[in-house]
Amino acid sequence: MNLYCVSSSSAGNCYLLTASDRSTLILECGVPISSIYLALGRDLGYSKVAGCLVSHQHRDHSRALPDLQRLGTDIYALEDVFASHKLRNRVFCTEVTPRQRFAVGDFSVLPLDVRHDVPCLAFVISHREMGNLLFVTDTMLMPYRVKGLNHILMEANYSDEILQENIDEGRVPPSHRDRLMCSHMELQTAIDALRATDLSAVNEIVLVHLSADNADPGAFKTAVEQATGKPTHIARNGLSLDVSTTPY
């Protein structure tokens, strides 16, 4: 199983999980459809799309949803996401319910409701080649403790220290703090969530959706590795990782 990061930032978020038979689950579609096309066809090994999961309505996570629908891609999201796009119909759109598992091709998905400024989901995604992967982004905290994980993609959007420095220097308005605290995960909050999770079978941690202004990728990577003892990666455009159950 391969994890490929198309984009991971406030400008757009999209990840691909591709099995050995080229079946691909799209995780978030907050980029132009052309970017998804290019990623699916990288190395000329065109993928078969099983479906697309969307965590919430914000356009940096759902921008290409209408285009994927027109192409006949099965899309799984909260009703709020579909309503926000004012689609002409709901063909290929499946409304999901938090804590009710569903199948997307050979992938099994458990959606979990998390705390953002709009309704939002985290996902536990399972596949025989990958084991269990947790994806959680755009939330002030992770209220669940999920057992049996093999891979974790978790938001570490900002650092309180960097944010305060930016406010003091006038680079960020003070009001920005209030929104971040209620909608995105701070580095130490992410570390606390990871420490509270059974990491014994986790192969790697990927930090996603880092702020361009209020985060330090190198420092975040080091902090999480020191806290967890697990290899940690920063989600950047073009990042490709083997997330098979036993990649080595």
Side-chain angles (χ1 to χ4, degrees):
M1 182 73 67
N2 177 261
L3 167 69
Y4 183 79
C5 175
V6 180
S7 181
S8 182
S9 72
S10 296
N13 296 271
C14 182
Y15 313 86
L16 307 179
L17 286 170
T18 303
S20 58
D21 65 356
R22 302 300 298 176
S23 177
T24 295
L25 179 67
I26 302 173
L27 184 54
E28 310 281 52
C29 57
V31 296
I33 190 66
S34 58
S35 297
I36 299 176
Y37 276 151
L38 289 172
L40 290 170
R42 67 188 190 277
D43 302 324
L44 302 181
Y46 290 94
S47 300
K48 302 172 290 182
V49 177
C52 176
L53 308 180
V54 181
S55 65
H56 65 288
Q57 65 167 268
H58 289 156
R59 293 307 185 256
D60 60 321
H61 295 260
S62 70
R63 175 176 175 176
L65 189 154
D67 296 308
L68 288 171
Q69 184 203 28
R70 283 192 289 272
L71 292 168
T73 302
D74 290 316
I75 304 162
Y76 302 82
L78 294 167
E79 194 282 333
D80 168 82
V81 175
F82 299 125
S84 74
H85 280 274
K86 298 180 173 59
L87 303 171
R88 296 179 65 179
N89 57 63
R90 297 286 180 91
V91 178
F92 305 115
C93 298
T94 299
E95 180 184 345
V96 304
T97 302
R99 296 184 290 272
Q100 291 190 13
R101 188 176 290 275
F102 58 93
V104 184
D106 291 333
F107 295 88
S108 175
V109 182
L110 175 65
L112 301 171
D113 48 325
V114 292
R115 300 181 187 178
H116 193 38
D117 52 10
V118 296
C120 187
L121 296 173
F123 299 105
V124 180
I125 305 166
S126 305
H127 190 282
R128 62 181 179 275
E129 296 181 6
M130 177 180 69
N132 301 312
L133 179 149
L134 170 66
F135 174 77
V136 54
T137 188
D138 287 60
T139 179
M140 62 184 291
L141 52 83
M142 177 54 184
Y144 301 93
R145 299 295 172 257
V146 183
K147 298 180 180 179
L149 294 175
N150 304 105
H151 320 275
I152 297 176
L153 277 66
M154 181 173 285
E155 177 180 66
N157 182 260
Y158 69 102
S159 155
D160 274 332
E161 181 180 354
I162 297 174
L163 174 59
Q164 188 59 55
E165 179 181 331
N166 284 333
I167 291 173
D168 292 343
E169 296 294 328
R171 291 186 290 267
V172 173
S175 60
H176 196 57
R177 174 187 288 279
D178 294 335
R179 180 183 182 276
L180 285 178
M181 290 179 65
C182 296
S183 60
H184 288 281
M185 199 179 305
E186 197 268 339
L187 172 63
Q188 190 57 52
T189 303
I191 288 174
D192 290 345
L194 290 167
R195 282 175 167 163
T197 300
D198 179 5
L199 302 177
S200 58
V202 169
N203 291 341
E204 73 288 302
I205 296 165
V206 182
L207 301 181
V208 303
H209 207 304
L210 273 67
S211 167
D213 299 319
N214 302 308
D216 180 332
F220 280 28
K221 170 182 166 68
T222 298
V224 171
E225 286 184 335
Q226 290 178 345
T228 64
K230 294 294 180 177
T232 302
H233 307 270
I234 303 298
R236 295 186 175 91
N237 298 9
L239 174 71
S240 180
L241 289 176
D242 185 344
V243 290
S244 301
T245 307
T246 53
Y248 310 114

